[in-house]
Amino acid sequence: MKNDHIPTPNDTTVWGRRRFLNTAALAGLTLGTAACADKESGGASTPAAPAAAAPQAAHTGASAHLKPGELDTYYGLWSGGHTGDLRVLGLPSGRELLRIPCFAPDALVGWGITNESKKIMGTKPDGHLRYTVGDTHHTHASYKDGNYDGRYAWINDKINSRIARIRLDYFVCDKITQLPNVQGFHGIFPDKRDPVDPAINHTTRVFCGGEFSIPLPNAPTEDRARYQSLFSCVDAETMEVRWQVQIDGNCDLVATSFDGKLAATNQYNTEMGAHFEDMMSAERDACLFFNIARIEAAVKAGKFKTIGTSKVPVVDGTRASNKDAQTALTAYISVPKNPHGVNASPDQKYFICAGKLSPTATIIELSKVLDWFDGKLAKIDDTIVAEVELGLGPLHTAFDGRGNAYTTLFLDSQVVKWNVDKAIAFFKGDKTANYVVDRIDVHYQPGHINASQSETIAADGKYLAVGCKFSKDRFLPVGPLHAENEQLIDISGEKMVLLADHPVRGEPHDFIIFKRELLSPKQVYDLDHNPLAIKDAKESGVFRNGKKVTVKMTSLAPTFSLREFKVKRGDEVTLILTNLDKIEDLTHGFAIPNYNVNFIVNPQETASVTFIADQPGVFWCYCTHFCHALHLEMRSRMIVEA
Ligand code: CUK
Ligand code: CUA
Ligand code: CA
């Protein structure tokens, strides 16, 4: 399907002379209209590009369709966007298998209702949730030897600067940490190896980029000179914030090197502007690198400050602090303009930073960054081995493990496949190096992109998922709110082939796709998972301590162990429910009408709720999760005496 108001790569009148989007062009920009063409065209022009591939291109036999009962071969972890959850998809089918609530309440699980989930989410002194909104963008999983090890995933909440950890054995969120003195926590990436001790070959840290600059500590001032951003390091096991780096400019997306030595974030606001026209006033911004071992040595040596009431050590990574490469904690590499996205190539050699307002991608060679830190390379910008034109609005890049990169072009509504080595050759002067391999139209305005196993050493170049921000006409109309369109592309051949459209609820930003063999989730809880577990139905009962009442109950299809229980009006009731069913897939629910209680207990799981019995009467507590032929009959009766 062609989008005829969007210039195609063959449209040379547009293609040949565009270089940077300027302020006027962007201010007048309407989505889907590539208003651009700044005259400033000092850079290399793009070599002849093949026409956008039609979906009917030579088919490799890959299909998104699975026969009934067939299992997917890949897991996908998808950010849920402002539903505050993480979604688990099976690929290539694109079937949604699970939503894991993290930052916002969830009525199926009882997330934000049970005491266990409220403790993870965080409560105010009155016991109510501190936050009930979330905005997740990026999810990444823990690594071992350069590939996913199936232990954890992490996901960010941009609104309240929280990071959640998901246990990949039970597929549940088990910890949430709020970053101190950070607003707009955006990019996130785990490290892949220890920078000092290479024997530690798995993830031990998670890096978090703070996008918005704020006064440190926060105070009501318009004085921009007092606004700064922090880059944070969270311990993968304890989930405590280990350290932060104060920087100039902002953080956005985050990438990490395979050797554990480097992390980087793209910076679109090196201008430190408060308004968009200020934020895009400079022709170049930066990709900011962090020398992890040096930062940790500085923390160890006590060369840090703390900010406000936070006890987290904060080291100085501002431009003024690092004039000397051999002691610098950070390195600011100049990239054009308002870059978006920084991605690590699976050959472990490069970070690729997409230009967004520049039609280019910048390739930074990591060994050269290390050389600069070691004093062996005089100019930090000499770490750039190529800066090549790709198309309009490049945002994010994925890899196939065969030397090709795939970059989303937001304004062109395309994905461009390009060869990294040829791009470097082209930039070095070999104008015969045709680095653009293929282009495909996507529908529409793509943001994130990821390929199967993309940012691991096991990138396998099979599937590419593209998160399209606009679906426009691709699905049945359902009123003003449109689904987003996640598209699946077969990248096993030379040409990309569009396999499927998937409507998704708004709005996933980022996702990872990996082989199903890398995970072996548990189907049944361990009773000891929760210390409150009631291991025998005979322990059930109502236990009173003054006005505090504990109701202990078990479930075993189709019964709850207490057929009725009595409490008194005004009691603070804590109800503990253990599901004694051991059979896989046998989940029960527990709802109390008029008391805002509903939660589930999976096989051998225990959960508890606490509420004030403030309404007298009879309340039929019932099972909300279809479990048995007598599911509707599976009830208990709460009698609240006046
Ligand atoms: S950002 Cu959404 S498309 Cu938050 Cu990862 Cu680039
Ligand atoms: Cu138990 Cu339905
Ligand atoms: Ca900028």
Side-chain angles (χ1 to χ4, degrees):
M1 166 156 227
K2 260 256 179 322
N3 197 8
D4 52 23
H5 55 279
I6 293 174
T8 69
N10 289 343
D11 183 354
T12 47
T13 54
V14 180
W15 192 249
R17 58 196 167 82
R18 63 193 173 196
R19 182 66 182 153
F20 293 114
L21 292 176
N22 58 29
T23 309
L26 198 82
L29 183 77
T30 53
L31 291 164
T33 312
C36 68
D38 191 305
K39 295 280 145 48
E40 183 196 341
S41 177
S45 65
T46 310
Q56 302 84 346
H59 209 281
T60 59
S63 167
H65 181 73
L66 294 185
K67 293 199 193 86
E70 243 184 307
L71 296 184
D72 282 294
T73 44
Y74 291 84
Y75 280 104
L77 300 185
W78 249 249
S79 147
H82 40 130
T83 57
D85 54 14
L86 181 142
R87 300 174 194 167
V88 185
L89 270 59
L91 290 167
S93 74
R95 296 178 293 201
E96 185 184 292
L97 308 176
L98 183 70
R99 292 185 180 190
I100 304 170
C102 298
F103 301 113
D106 179 276
L108 180 130
V109 171
W111 194 252
I113 303 252
T114 64
N115 295 329
E116 290 74 19
S117 61
K118 282 167 89 175
K119 193 167 167 222
I120 293 166
M121 292 176 83
T123 51
K124 294 188 279 192
D126 67 4
H128 288 112
L129 292 176
R130 185 164 295 279
Y131 306 112
T132 54
V133 292
D135 180 25
T136 71
H137 285 226
H138 303 113
T139 180
H140 289 287
S142 55
Y143 282 79
K144 186 175 183 184
D145 282 327
N147 199 355
Y148 300 123
D149 65 2
R151 281 184 304 146
Y152 299 125
W154 289 272
I155 193 162
N156 76 308
D157 166 32
K158 183 166 170 176
I159 301 176
N160 296 305
S161 292
R162 292 176 293 169
I163 170 172
R165 183 174 70 186
I166 288 90
R167 286 179 61 156
L168 291 178
D169 52 356
Y170 290 107
F171 280 84
V172 290
C173 169
D174 77 331
K175 273 190 189 301
I176 292 178
T177 298
Q178 188 169 34
L179 306 175
N181 297 303
V182 171
Q183 250 174 51
F185 158 36
H186 194 205
I188 181 172
F189 219 102
D191 69 359
K192 303 188 182 98
R193 191 173 275 275
D194 191 89
V196 185
D197 180 359
I200 303 174
N201 59 352
H202 60 268
T203 295
T204 54
R205 310 163 178 79
V206 188
F207 302 112
C208 310
E211 186 179 340
F212 306 150
S213 303
I214 50 168
L216 297 177
N218 208 350
T221 172
E222 283 186 42
D223 178 8
R224 291 284 295 146
R226 288 177 54 189
Y227 294 18
Q228 297 261 224
S229 291
L230 298 174
F231 179 81
S232 305
C233 173
V234 173
D235 189 288
E237 290 304 327
T238 66
M239 288 291 285
E240 277 163 21
V241 184
R242 282 197 191 180
W243 44 259
Q244 295 177 304
V245 186
Q246 184 170 328
I247 60 163
D248 288 322
N250 68 335
C251 305
D252 197 12
L253 284 300
V254 177
T256 62
S257 65
F258 283 83
D259 63 10
K261 292 180 177 160
L262 298 169
T265 185
N266 61 294
Q267 301 195 290
Y268 65 78
N269 192 12
T270 51
E271 301 92 337
M272 305 283 285
H275 306 119
F276 83 86
E277 57 278 26
D278 306 322
M279 296 182 206
M280 57 187 290
S281 57
E283 283 312 321
R284 294 183 78 90
D285 286 290
C287 185
L288 169 57
F289 276 76
F290 299 88
N291 186 320
I292 306 304
R294 271 195 205 161
I295 289 166
E296 301 202 339
V299 170
K300 235 186 194 162
K303 291 182 198 148
F304 62 80
K305 63 174 180 180
T306 57
I307 297 171
T309 55
S310 164
K311 293 197 169 60
V312 175
V314 180
V315 298
D316 187 356
T318 57
R319 284 174 186 268
S321 76
N322 62 3
K323 292 284 177 262
D324 176 10
Q326 291 183 65
T327 58
L329 306 183
T330 56
Y332 293 77
I333 299 173
S334 166
V335 301
K337 162 168 190 170
N338 287 37
H340 187 90
V342 55
N343 295 95
S345 64
D347 61 8
Q348 316 188 28
K349 288 201 257 186
Y350 308 111
F351 280 3
I352 288 168
C353 203
K356 190 165 79 182
L357 301 194
S358 156
T360 54
T362 301
I363 307 174
I364 297 166
E365 189 167 338
L366 301 179
S367 64
K368 295 196 169 182
V369 178
L370 291 172
D371 283 349
W372 181 83
F373 276 119
D374 289 343
K376 291 188 225 152
L377 185 77
K379 278 170 48 202
I380 186 64
D381 289 345
D382 289 344
T383 57
I384 295 173
V385 291
E387 203 164 285
V388 290
E389 255 188 67
L390 297 177
L392 285 187
L395 292 187
H396 296 282
T397 299
F399 305 91
D400 63 8
R402 297 187 293 268
N404 301 305
Y406 300 77
T407 302
T408 47
L409 302 173
F410 182 81
L411 298 175
D412 279 343
S413 276
Q414 285 187 334
V415 171
V416 54
K417 173 181 178 182
W418 54 287
N419 183 279
V420 176
D421 284 341
K422 283 191 182 165
I424 295 169
F426 180 85
F427 188 74
K428 283 190 181 145
D430 176 3
K431 298 303 170 200
T432 65
N434 260 344
Y435 58 89
V436 172
V437 181
D438 191 22
R439 296 177 187 275
I440 189 169
D441 288 341
V442 293
H443 314 87
Y444 303 90
Q445 270 79 39
H448 272 282
I449 188 168
N450 226 331
S452 41
Q453 297 278 153
S454 177
E455 277 185 69
T456 72
I457 57 165
D460 66 1
K462 285 228 163 97
Y463 295 107
L464 183 77
V466 184
C468 297
K469 300 292 186 189
F470 294 78
S471 63
K472 296 184 189 174
D473 52 1
R474 297 295 276 195
F475 304 113
L476 285 178
V478 286
L481 176 63
H482 290 226
E484 324 269 287
N485 187 8
E486 303 284 290
Q487 293 192 303
L488 193 74
I489 292 173
D490 172 11
I491 54 167
S492 57
E494 185 77 354
K495 290 224 157 256
M496 295 178 274
V497 180
L498 182 60
L499 294 179
D501 282 11
H502 289 292
V504 286
R505 190 161 187 230
E507 64 166 291
H509 286 248
D510 200 7
F511 37 85
I512 57 171
I513 302 163
F514 53 90
K515 291 210 164 116
R516 72 174 189 211
E517 294 82 38
L518 293 175
L519 283 192
S520 42
K522 300 181 182 174
Q523 308 266 339
V524 173
Y525 271 92
D526 186 330
L527 264 188
D528 293 321
H529 190 81
N530 187 325
L532 299 177
I534 300 144
K535 296 187 177 172
D536 187 328
K538 291 194 201 89
E539 295 166 32
S540 306
V542 177
F543 305 90
R544 176 173 290 279
N545 180 5
K547 289 209 110 237
K548 293 195 179 200
V549 175
T550 304
V551 179
K552 295 188 180 180
M553 205 185 296
T554 59
S555 59
L556 194 68
T559 57
F560 292 114
S561 59
L562 297 180
R563 288 160 173 248
E564 47 266 317
F565 58 96
K566 282 184 186 162
V567 297
K568 292 196 171 66
R569 185 181 196 168
D571 283 345
E572 183 195 285
V573 180
T574 296
L575 186 143
I576 306 165
L577 177 63
T578 297
N579 183 3
L580 292 181
D581 274 307
K582 286 184 189 151
I583 301 167
E584 189 182 310
D585 203 7
L586 220 172
T587 296
H588 298 288
F590 193 88
I592 311 178
N594 303 6
Y595 273 92
N596 198 37
V597 167
N598 185 27
F599 62 96
I600 53 169
V601 274
N602 293 297
Q604 302 279 292
E605 187 182 16
T606 299
S608 66
V609 288
T610 298
F611 57 91
I612 305 293
D614 52 4
Q615 306 162 72
V618 170
F619 300 89
W620 286 103
C621 309
Y622 70 99
C623 178
T624 41
H625 213 84
F626 216 109
C627 55
H628 191 276
L630 292 170
H631 159 72
L632 288 173
E633 291 81 351
M634 185 169 176
R635 300 191 210 167
S636 178
R637 189 165 40 136
M638 177 170 81
I639 299 166
V640 180
E641 297 173 329

